[in-house]
Every structure is written in structure tokens, then in C-alpha cells.
Amino acid sequence: MSVNIFGKTNVGSSQRVISGGVTLSQAINTFLRRDGKNAADANINMDSHNIINVLDPMNAQDAATKNYIDTRAVSKTGDTMTGTLDMNGRAITNLLDPSAAQGAATKSYVDKQDSAQIITLNSYVDTHAVSKSGDTMTGDLNMGGRMVKGLPVHYPPTTYLGSEASSWSQVTQLVNAEVQNAIKITKELITKELITNTPKKSYSGYVPILEENISRTGFVTTASAVTTGNFQAYGAFNSLNADGSNGSWATPAKKGWLQIKCPEAVTIWRVALKARAIDGKNITEWNFSGSNDGKTFEPLLTSTTKLFGSANAPLFFDISTTTAYLYYRLAIQASTGAGDLGVQVMQLYVLST
């Protein structure tokens, strides 16, 4: 019966002990099992022999095959990376200066290139860039929608020649000055125009003292009726004559009208009226109107203010109109007293330019 090195026989699972040999337990504790069911207690010296037919490692502490190392580690003799090499803050030292475009550059190489580039760049800047100390452009400068800031408010010459750039503040001052000057000139022109063309109220009576119904001064007076030849229409415009001597106009009716035609159309702003100087003969309702054809009259004022014959002075009534008329008419609508009703004063006050 044969026995293997571990003292096992080939007869089933039965165990045999060789006389003077070792037990199974002793063998297991002394030798490595081929089935890998025990572990080494110390280093194994391969005495310059290889361990062959090893699988690539799976765990961190597994032995690595040559193939595993060759396909993953960077070779000292030269190699090609298949991924990114993270130096994790470490330096790469003892490099040669690069000879290829994609070669790693040493500090020495870069410093030399920087120095050469600085010299070239300085020369380029000197001939192409605008100097801060002052320069002259040789082409157009396109600001691309950006602003030029920091321009002086006052830059000699103070009177601009048209080629100096002005600051916004300077332009604003100049524009404001011109605007204010233009406003001043405009105001002066407007004021002058207004003074020249604005109608002015005349406080002197427009109608002179008339000597006839058809006056040599160009005025013509008419009336609806007269009592006698001593009370003609022009008597209301003659303050020199006494009542009864054509110093008043009188009509035999209790109503009537008195009219004056001017030498030219005028705009009036006031009329003065006074009844004939006879106590009790008062005008109680009347209207005042204007016309340019003597037929169609435009009402200018309707009033129930009494015009007393006993009054010592006329009453003044403002007229609101901007139209110039050739004819002006006083129409008596109602009165007191019997007959011989009349007007002692009728005076026009005009707007003049």
C-alpha cells in the first residue's frame, strides 16, 4: 500500500500512520497544501526561481503578473500614456528642453522664450499701441459702443476749434449756455413782439367833437328820429354845445337808436354813455352792437343798468370783443318819462397797436 508525503493512503478516507513517520496534523502544520487550504507562516525564498502560471491579481494584496504590470505601469525606458497623469501637486524634474511642438517645456526654456517674447512684445506695443503719455492715431478708433471717460471739462483752447473731444460736462455747459442764450434772445423777441403787436387800451375818447352829422373828420352820425333840428345825432358827440343847441340827441319816441360810422373799422374795449340831462327821462333797458355793413349788427352788450338824465357824469361799460367794426349803435329798448328821450354822451374807447 502506497503512502503520499502527507501520510495518506489511497484507500478511501481511512488514515494510516507510517511507523516512525509523521501524523497528518503534523504534516498540515509543517507543509503548504496544494489545495490552498493552509497559509504560509513566513517568507518563502524562491532561490532565484520563478512563480509561473499565476492569474492576474484581483485583490489589493494579490501577487501581480508581468502582464498586469506591463499593461498598467509606466515604463522607465519610455512609454505612452493612455489616460491623464495627475501629479497631485508633485514636480516633474530633470527634463530636457523641448524639441517637438508638443514636448513638455522646462522652466529654463520658458524663461528664455518669455525674455525673447517680452523684447518682441515691447517693440510691437511701442509701434502699435497708444501711449498713455500722449500719441497720434494713424487710423480710426472704433469704440464699439463704449464711452470715452475722464475727458477734461476745460481743455485749451477754451474756444473749441472743432477737432477737440469735449467731455459730456463741457458739452452740457456749452449747450446749456447756448440754450439759455437762445431762450434769452427768444424772450426778448417775444417780449418785443408782444409789446409791439399787443393791442393797448386807449383811455382817450376816440370820437372827436363833431360839428355836423357828416363831420369833416370822417365820422358820420345817424339816428332813428330827432325831435327838432336842435337835437341832431351828432349832438351826443359835441360836449361844447348846450342841450337844445345840438349838445344832445333827442327822439320824440320812448325807444330809438343812435349810430356812428367811423372813418375806419376799429376794435373798442369800452363805451361811455349818459342820458339827456333832463330829470325823469331815464334809459332803463338798452343794448350796444357793432356792424361792418350798417345792416347786420352783432350784439356786444345788453344791459338794464339805468342811464339817468340827472347824472353829472357818464357811466363806463367794458366791451368784450376782438373784432373791428365800422358802425356802432346804441338801441334804447325801454325808458321813463314822456317823449324827448335822448343821449348826451356816447364815446368810444379803442384798442390800438
Side-chain angles (χ1 to χ4, degrees), residues 1 40 48 66 82 128 134 144 169 179 188 261 264 279 302 320 324:
M1 180 178 65
S48 300
K66 180 178 182 297
T82 60
H128 292 81
S169 175
V179 169
E188 290 175 351
K261 179 185 177 183
E264 59 184 358
D279 190 23
T302 298
S320 179

Side-chain angles (χ1 to χ4, degrees), residues 168-187:
W168 177 253
S169 175
Q170 184 70 57
V171 171
T172 302
Q173 290 182 14
L174 292 174
V175 170
N176 285 342
E178 290 299 321
V179 169
Q180 292 301 320
N181 188 48
I183 291 174
K184 179 182 178 182
I185 294 173
T186 303
K187 285 183 176 180

Side-chain angles (χ1 to χ4, degrees), residues 5 43 57 76 98 102 111 157 192 217 229 287 291 309 346:
I5 63 173
N43 296 333
K76 290 176 64 176
Q102 296 302 110
D111 289 345
K192 184 177 180 181
T217 58
N287 64 59
S291 174
M346 178 173 163

Side-chain angles (χ1 to χ4, degrees), residues 126-205:
D126 289 343
T127 56
H128 292 81
V130 179
S131 175
K132 290 177 65 175
S133 62
D135 219 328
T136 301
M137 296 296 296
T138 59
D140 294 335
L141 180 62
N142 187 344
M143 296 304 298
R146 272 66 176 179
M147 294 188 295
V148 178
K149 296 184 177 181
L151 290 172
V153 175
H154 297 289
Y155 183 84
T158 54
T159 301
Y160 286 90
L161 301 177
S163 59
E164 302 88 354
S166 304
S167 67
W168 177 253
S169 175
Q170 184 70 57
V171 171
T172 302
Q173 290 182 14
L174 292 174
V175 170
N176 285 342
E178 290 299 321
V179 169
Q180 292 301 320
N181 188 48
I183 291 174
K184 179 182 178 182
I185 294 173
T186 303
K187 285 183 176 180
E188 290 175 351
L189 290 175
I190 292 174
T191 302
K192 184 177 180 181
E193 184 74 11
L194 288 174
I195 292 174
T196 302
N197 297 321
T198 299
K200 303 175 187 63
K201 292 180 178 180
S202 173
Y203 287 86
S204 297

Side-chain angles (χ1 to χ4, degrees), residues 95-106 109-110 113:
L95 289 175
L96 289 175
D97 285 346
S99 58
Q102 296 302 110
T106 63
Y109 180 84
V110 172
Q113 297 303 312

